[in-house]
């Protein structure tokens, strides 16, 4: 019978180690069934599951590996694998795999212990842990620093609802977010990002800023609060608020284009997505004049928003065309996916309000970003503590990857 052995090497990392060790294995015609290598703080951990040819003796190979490991400054362990253990390992080939992404300004031992505790309670096995963010020391204060650890786990969770609830409790206990995705071909091949605009891509609500300019801010707030209590349907409340803007000079409206700041990380995210070839869309209950401003600045592919009517140099108090509400956002998302010939599983939608929920639920990955509590609880994913650029971690992009990109240069729009 052939022999199967697990080899584990550890020690100070330096170039040439893997070549030297696999060279010895080659001399003995060993077949590599599995391999895993990690380097943490310049310390190597290398595992090789090998199978020797039928009739081959393991003792000469063991001696050669021990001698070479000593000369390389490595420690080596040998673990014989039984036929039963090998058969069990092979039977796990098709097991479900999940990706958990832990995001915060820093990731502490207490936070990682709590997250991995939820994983263990569900009977999942952790196969890999990797840092996606750049190197960070707490001793050096870096404003808006990102810290991200990606965990790959496998198995069948006892209850995905219980697991989601457990991860949500951890995220509420610590200043972190935890995203939980099933590993699939779609997860690795997202093609479209769709964003709400107000309080998502930008830090504020355009209609509220217009109301301030028109001197009707208090009245608009009352209508908004009434709509949030369910006393007024969204489209009716929207028309009432727009009606209060009647007579506002167009020149004052245009003033807002340079005054409402982008959300932290928005520019880095969109520039990176464009460089990587993703399609992008703004699906907004706000106004086209601001959405088109962002479209021109960043090269956004699609815009669906409300047309604020103007005549004789002033706002008329009306909107032209159908109002973009929650249902229209979801419909637009489906239209774009069909036009681009992509599956909805390949779509990521991002928003903060209740009217974003239809598109968040339709997309393969719906993310509530700095959202209201109801939206966070209803969406499949929630991000609160970092900027929009942290979404890149959810598609597996590392900081060291983005540092090398020739990012899209935004055009300054007057």
């Amino acid at each position: 019978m052939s022999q199967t052995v697990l080899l584990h090497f550890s020690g100070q990392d330096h170039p040439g180690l893997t070549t030297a060790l696999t060279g010895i294995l080659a001399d003995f015609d060993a077949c590599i069934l599995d391999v895993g290598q990690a380097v943490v703080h310049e310390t190597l951990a290398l595992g090789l599951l090998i199978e020797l040819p039928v009739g081959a003796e393991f003792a000469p190979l063991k001696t050669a590996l021990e001698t070479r490991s000593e000369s390389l400054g490595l420690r080596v362990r040998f673990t014989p694998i039984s036929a039963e253990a090998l058969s069990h390992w092979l039977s796990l080939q098709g097991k479900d795999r999940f990706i958990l992404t832990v995001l915060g300004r820093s990731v502490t031992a207490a936070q990682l212990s709590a997250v991995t505790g939820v994983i263990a309670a569900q009977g999942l096995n952790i196969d890999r842990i990797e840092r996606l963010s750049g190197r960070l020391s707490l001793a050096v204060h870096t404003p808006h620093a990102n810290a991200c650890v990606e965990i790959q786990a496998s198995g069948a969770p006892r209850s995905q609802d219980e697991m989601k609830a457990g991860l949500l409790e951890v995220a509420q206990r610590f200043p972190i977010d935890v995203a939980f995705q099933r590993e699939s071909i779609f997860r690795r091949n997202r093609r479209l990002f769709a964003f709400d605009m107000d309080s998502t891509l930008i830090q504020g609500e355009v209609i509220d800023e217009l109301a301030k300019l028109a001197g009707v801010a208090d009245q608009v707030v009352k209508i908004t609060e009434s709509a949030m209590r369910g006393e007024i349907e969204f489209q009716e409340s929207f028309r009432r608020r727009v009606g209060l803007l009647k007579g506002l000079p167009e020149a004052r409206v245009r003033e807002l284009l340079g005054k409402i700041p982008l959300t932290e990380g928005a520019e880095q995210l969109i520039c990176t997505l464009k460089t990587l070839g993703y399609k992008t869309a703004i699906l907004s209950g706000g106004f086209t004049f601001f959405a088109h401003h962002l479209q021109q600045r960043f090269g956004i592919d699609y815009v669906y928003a409300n047309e604020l009517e103007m005549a004789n140099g002033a706002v008329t108090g009306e909107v032209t065309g159908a109002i973009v509400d929650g249902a229209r956002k979801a419909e637009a998302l489906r239209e774009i996916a069909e036009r681009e010939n992509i599956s909805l599983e390949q779509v990521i939608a991002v928003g903060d309000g209740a009217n974003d929920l239809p598109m968040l639920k339709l997309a393969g990955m719906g993310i509530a970003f700095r959202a209201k509590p109801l939206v966070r609880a209803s969406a499949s994913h929630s991000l609160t503590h970092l900027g929009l650029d942290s979404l890149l971690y959810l598609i597996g992009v590392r900081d060291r990857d983005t540092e090398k990109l020739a990012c899209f240069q935004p055009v300054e729009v007057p």
Side-chain angles (χ1 to χ4, degrees):
M1 294 180 62
S2 61
Q3 298 181 68
T4 306
V5 183
L6 177 63
L7 313 176
H8 180 265
F9 303 91
S10 59
Q12 189 72 16
D13 186 41
H14 55 82
L17 294 180
T18 305
T19 299
L21 297 172
T22 54
I24 294 176
L25 294 176
D27 292 339
F28 288 83
D29 295 325
C31 179
I32 296 176
L33 303 181
D34 198 10
V35 59
Q37 177 173 309
V39 177
V40 179
H41 196 58
E42 300 182 349
T43 299
L44 169 77
L46 170 62
L48 292 159
L49 181 64
I50 67 165
E51 186 176 59
L52 291 178
V54 174
E57 292 291 331
F58 178 63
L61 172 59
K62 181 174 183 291
T63 300
L65 287 173
E66 287 175 333
T67 302
R68 193 72 176 101
S69 295
E70 183 177 0
S71 69
L72 294 170
L74 298 177
R75 295 176 294 278
V76 59
R77 296 200 315 268
F78 305 94
T79 306
I81 305 298
S82 68
E84 292 78 14
L86 180 61
S87 178
H88 176 70
W89 175 73
L90 291 170
S91 72
L92 298 176
Q93 182 70 24
K95 61 183 176 180
D96 290 336
R97 298 183 183 275
F98 302 91
I99 300 294
L100 293 93
T101 312
V102 184
L103 308 105
R105 295 301 180 187
S106 63
V107 176
T108 67
Q111 295 163 0
L112 198 57
S113 175
V115 172
T116 55
V118 174
I119 297 172
Q122 288 296 316
L124 297 180
N125 185 67
I126 294 176
D127 300 323
R128 178 181 59 81
I129 302 178
E130 182 179 4
R131 172 178 52 83
L132 300 188
S133 54
R135 297 177 183 180
L136 177 67
S137 169
L138 294 180
V140 180
H141 176 67
T142 305
H144 301 306
N146 289 347
C148 175
V149 171
E150 182 180 272
I151 302 171
Q152 184 181 93
S154 58
R158 296 187 175 96
S159 168
Q160 288 199 39
D161 288 340
E162 287 181 8
M163 186 165 184
K164 181 180 178 182
L167 295 173
L168 182 62
E169 186 277 328
V170 171
Q172 291 172 340
R173 185 158 33 113
F174 297 102
I176 58 172
D177 296 309
V178 185
F180 174 59
Q181 305 177 63
R182 181 182 293 273
E183 177 68 300
S184 71
I185 191 171
F186 294 117
R187 183 254 170 185
R188 298 187 298 274
N189 290 279
R190 308 291 188 188
R191 300 305 308 142
L192 168 67
F193 274 71
F195 301 95
D196 173 47
M197 181 174 68
D198 297 58
S199 297
T200 299
L201 281 179
I202 60 175
Q203 298 180 42
E205 301 283 331
V206 173
I207 195 168
D208 291 346
E209 298 304 316
L210 290 174
K212 292 176 184 177
L213 294 177
V216 294
D218 292 343
Q219 295 166 263
V220 166
V221 168
K222 288 180 180 179
I223 296 173
T224 301
E225 291 175 346
S226 181
M228 292 178 66
R229 291 193 297 267
E231 298 168 356
I232 309 174
E233 190 268 334
F234 172 80
Q235 292 205 15
E236 174 62 23
S237 71
F238 184 76
R239 292 189 185 279
R240 289 189 189 182
R241 285 178 287 173
V242 172
L244 292 171
L245 303 178
K246 184 177 181 179
L248 180 65
E250 182 176 355
R252 300 297 309 280
V253 172
R254 299 293 175 187
E255 289 177 11
L256 287 183
L257 295 179
K259 290 187 176 179
I260 303 180
L262 295 169
T263 298
E264 175 198 346
E267 184 169 3
Q268 177 66 35
L269 170 63
I270 296 175
C271 289
T272 302
L273 293 176
K274 296 300 295 181
T275 302
L276 295 177
Y278 286 83
K279 295 295 182 179
T280 53
I282 292 175
L283 308 181
S284 174
F287 298 111
T288 54
F289 80 90
F290 207 103
H292 285 152
H293 165 74
L294 295 179
Q295 181 180 35
Q296 183 179 357
R297 180 175 178 181
F298 294 113
I300 303 292
D301 297 289
Y302 296 95
V303 166
Y304 288 76
N306 298 300
E307 188 72 36
L308 182 64
E309 186 180 73
M310 299 187 194
N312 300 318
V315 175
T316 67
E318 301 287 340
V319 289
T320 59
I323 291 176
V324 177
D325 56 8
R328 179 58 183 138
K329 287 188 178 188
E331 181 183 348
L333 190 65
R334 193 184 297 277
E335 290 174 3
I336 296 171
E338 290 178 356
R339 191 174 307 169
E340 293 294 335
N341 194 30
I342 62 174
S343 165
L344 286 168
E345 286 290 334
Q346 295 175 278
V347 176
I348 293 180
V350 188
D352 73 305
N355 66 331
D356 295 313
L357 282 174
M359 75 171 182
L360 298 187
K361 292 180 178 179
L362 183 63
M365 187 175 197
I367 301 171
F369 180 77
R370 298 183 181 178
K372 287 76 175 175
L374 173 63
V375 182
R376 289 203 305 270
S378 301
S380 57
H381 304 276
S382 175
L383 296 180
T384 301
H385 298 286
L386 299 184
L388 278 172
D389 55 333
S390 64
L391 270 64
L392 293 168
Y393 298 132
L394 302 186
I395 57 173
V397 176
R398 301 167 177 81
D399 282 358
R400 65 175 181 264
D401 300 327
T402 58
E403 289 170 358
K404 299 175 183 178
L405 290 178
C407 191
F408 176 89
Q409 295 299 316
V411 177
E412 291 299 328
V413 179

